[in-house]
Amino acid sequence: MPPEPGAPDAVGTTVSGTTATGGAEQGKRPPRQRDPFFDNAKYFAILLVVVGHSLANLLNVPLAKGLYIFIYMFHMPLFIVITGYFSRNWTFSGGKARKVITNVGVPYVVFEAAYSLYDWLAGRNELEVSLLNPYYLTWFLAALFMWRLSTPVWQQIRWPLAVALVFSLLSYMSNLGGTFDIHRVIGLLPFYVLGLTLKPAHFELLKKPIARPIGAVVLAAGLGASYLVMNHMSRNWIYWKHANFQLGVGNFAGTVMRLTMFACAIVLVAAFLSLIPRRRHWYTQLGAYTLYAYLLHGFVTRLLNFTGWWGADWMHTPPGVFIVIGGALVVGTFLCSKPVVRTMSWALEPKMTWVFTPLRRPARSR
């Protein structure tokens, strides 16, 4: 199922780009074209996600540990910022509300059940499907569902980013429990709201020729810094899911650390985007289906875990790390491909027109 110009993409975000000519001359609304810059960005971002989840099993190798921390510092903020940017025009209109149900809510239920069943078949003693406690990587769908529903609120607040940041910092001062991975939902909210506040002109700045060498230097510095701190900080910070007391710090120190991480993540996201190709390439179309790779690659990484493959000695060497990274790049690319999309669209982009009714409106009082 190839992407249609102007259609929602796999993460439920509205595409961006220039308008085609011809239709406007006849008084018709011209169709929108996908901007290859953002599809390219999402393709490379999903590769970071797959590589990161693969490196998680090789952290006894310093090479893998430094790369892992570096990737986790910004890969999900990158996705969230882009998702927020393309959610700027989201409303509670019938069509958009249905899309968030079918393209986010339904996949969450399907994959929450599928991963739980997969885990049970691999040897767990009990089959447990809990929609309130996201399994593995399904937390992002739960978070996206709630972020999307909150969009109209943020669009009407005078200082949305500041308010979201305050909520985020306050959330880490309390134990909110594990329901819906709520610390991640609120903690990462500022990145979504940041995306809502961005304009096309901001991304044009990152496309300027001078931005590319600066971005390369920033990413190199970030990678070097990751190796310097990897043995001096808890990895739990980069997961955005633990309260301050769970990390053994007070609220003041925790707040300073979170603000530092926000700043670092935003700088790294901007640097990463400055290196993204602007033109269409062979992988551009794959960027429209990154949610397929995100939700499906977990079955591969978990299979290697269940079968004990991650314990192979050759993997826990520098050459083995590079081989694993190469395999992750291949898997991530394949899972965005047309054969996979055709096979799995029933679960990730179900039509489900039979579920919906015409929009009910309250009766007018006389």
Side-chain angles (χ1 to χ4, degrees):
M1 182 177 61
E4 300 174 0
D9 66 16
V11 292
T13 58
T14 306
V15 299
S16 163
T18 59
T19 56
T21 60
E25 297 175 357
Q26 303 173 7
K28 299 179 180 179
R29 185 176 181 179
R32 288 180 296 177
Q33 302 286 328
R34 293 190 73 98
D35 186 343
F37 171 77
F38 290 104
D39 279 337
N40 292 340
K42 288 190 293 182
Y43 168 72
F44 286 109
I46 196 61
L47 293 185
L48 289 180
V49 172
V50 180
V51 169
H53 284 155
S54 300
L55 293 176
N57 301 279
L58 307 174
L59 296 183
N60 62 315
V61 183
L63 173 64
K65 188 176 182 179
L67 283 172
Y68 178 82
I69 292 176
F70 174 66
I71 290 172
Y72 266 71
M73 278 298 299
F74 74 97
H75 74 314
M76 288 312 296
L78 170 64
F79 261 120
I80 296 167
V81 168
I82 295 177
T83 300
Y85 176 70
F86 287 121
S87 300
R88 293 168 298 159
N89 298 321
W90 196 89
T91 65
F92 283 108
S93 62
K96 293 181 179 180
R98 293 179 184 185
K99 280 292 184 181
V100 79
I101 293 173
T102 57
N103 289 14
V104 181
V106 172
Y108 173 71
V109 174
V110 170
F111 280 89
E112 181 69 19
Y115 271 112
S116 298
L117 180 61
Y118 188 61
D119 198 24
W120 174 67
L121 291 174
R124 285 187 62 183
N125 296 326
E126 297 180 4
L127 175 60
E128 180 182 356
V129 180
S130 174
L131 297 181
L132 300 181
N133 186 21
Y135 180 92
Y136 195 25
L137 40 72
T138 59
W139 71 267
F140 179 67
L141 291 178
L144 179 57
F145 191 89
M146 287 182 269
W147 292 334
R148 188 63 56 78
L149 293 180
S150 72
T151 298
V153 175
W154 300 112
Q155 296 288 38
Q156 299 182 61
I157 295 178
R158 188 178 297 276
W159 302 288
L161 184 56
V163 174
L165 185 59
V166 169
F167 273 114
S168 173
L169 296 175
L170 290 177
S171 72
Y172 289 112
M173 297 182 185
S174 305
N175 183 10
L176 303 181
T179 303
F180 287 126
D181 249 356
I182 195 64
H183 273 299
R184 276 176 168 168
V185 175
I186 302 177
L188 291 166
L189 175 63
F191 294 112
Y192 180 80
V193 176
L194 173 62
L196 291 176
T197 63
L198 292 177
K199 296 178 174 57
H202 295 124
F203 291 96
E204 291 303 318
L205 292 175
L206 298 176
K207 296 179 183 180
K208 291 182 178 295
I210 188 60
R212 182 161 290 179
I214 295 176
V217 171
V218 169
L219 288 178
L223 180 59
S226 297
Y227 280 100
L228 290 176
V229 305
M230 66 181 186
N231 294 322
H232 304 285
M233 65 173 283
S234 170
R235 288 197 306 273
N236 287 328
W237 285 103
I238 62 178
Y239 302 137
W240 300 88
K241 64 182 297 185
H242 298 95
N244 294 331
F245 78 91
Q246 293 174 307
L247 294 169
V249 298
N251 288 331
F252 178 78
T255 298
V256 171
M257 183 65 175
R258 294 293 178 191
L259 287 172
T260 302
M261 291 183 63
F262 275 119
C264 291
I266 291 171
V267 170
L268 291 173
V269 166
F272 180 85
L273 291 174
S274 72
L275 300 181
I276 295 298
R278 282 67 164 148
R279 298 179 180 178
R280 187 171 298 277
H281 297 275
W282 63 268
Y283 50 78
T284 301
Q285 190 177 28
L286 302 178
Y289 301 109
T290 51
L291 190 60
Y292 285 79
Y294 178 81
L295 289 174
L296 294 173
H297 82 275
F299 289 105
V300 179
T301 57
R302 301 297 285 176
L303 177 63
L304 295 178
N305 184 47
F306 296 149
T307 56
W309 273 56
W310 290 120
D313 292 337
W314 67 268
M315 285 190 182
H316 297 264
T317 62
V321 170
F322 284 112
I323 293 174
V324 168
I325 291 174
L329 296 177
V330 172
V331 169
T333 299
F334 172 71
L335 293 178
C336 293
S337 64
K338 287 184 178 180
V340 174
V341 172
R342 292 194 189 101
T343 303
M344 296 302 302
S345 61
W346 63 270
L348 283 97
E349 298 179 277
K351 300 301 181 183
M352 298 186 66
T353 54
W354 55 274
V355 172
F356 302 104
T357 65
L359 185 62
R360 300 185 185 95
R361 299 184 183 276
R364 293 182 179 179
S365 58
R366 296 185 180 181

